Amino acid sequence: QVKLVESGGGLVQAGGSLTLSCAASGTSGIIFRIYDMAWYRQAPGKQRELVALITSGGSTNYADSMKDRFTISRDNAKNTVALQMNSLKPEDTAVYFCNAVKTSIGVNYWGRGTQVTVSS
């Protein structure tokens, strides 16, 4: 069973930066590299939404409101994925979740999330 653990959340002022990290355990690096990895977020009273995705091949995709401020990256040697967040806004306040997915083999794992709070 793959376990995803997020870290790096916290309280930051508007305009600041945070880097979130997600570490995958229970899987080898050979297996981790085939997963597409993503960050989602969920604000209070709102649905969970995609923030950024990085495929097994390294292609990235971002939600429109974040593409100029956030950067997703992965380190297959360390089984980790990171989300660099710059120019944070109060509306970025949410719980951020790490997701590992490979639809072709029925993989869809979630972490428990890390809280990001941006004060104005």
Side-chain angles (χ1 to χ4, degrees):
Q1 179 71 21
V2 174
K3 183 178 181 182
L4 302 176
V5 179
E6 302 93 339
S7 62
L11 174 64
V12 63
Q13 288 188 329
S17 299
L18 278 176
T19 300
L20 305 183
S21 182
C22 171
S25 61
T27 183
S28 69
I30 295 174
I31 299 299
F32 176 81
R33 67 180 65 242
I34 74 170
Y35 297 156
D36 297 331
M37 300 297 299
W39 286 95
Y40 286 76
R41 71 184 186 185
Q42 187 166 17
K46 295 187 176 181
Q47 289 188 332
R48 190 172 297 189
E49 63 174 346
L50 176 68
V51 173
L53 168 76
I54 184 165
T55 69
S56 58
S59 298
T60 58
N61 190 30
Y62 298 89
D64 287 343
S65 63
M66 300 161 224
K67 63 174 57 177
D68 295 328
R69 300 185 294 124
F70 293 4
T71 302
I72 189 170
S73 61
R74 66 189 296 162
D75 186 337
N76 290 332
K78 296 181 179 180
N79 287 8
T80 59
V81 61
L83 183 69
Q84 172 69 42
M85 305 185 294
N86 299 322
S87 302
L88 284 163
K89 306 174 182 180
E91 51 263 43
D92 294 318
T93 295
V95 178
Y96 285 70
F97 297 90
C98 180
N99 174 243
V101 64
K102 195 68 176 179
T103 305
S104 60
I105 58 173
V107 166
N108 190 10
Y109 300 117
W110 291 91
R112 299 186 69 176
T114 185
Q115 176 71 46
V116 172
T117 302
V118 184
S119 63
S120 57

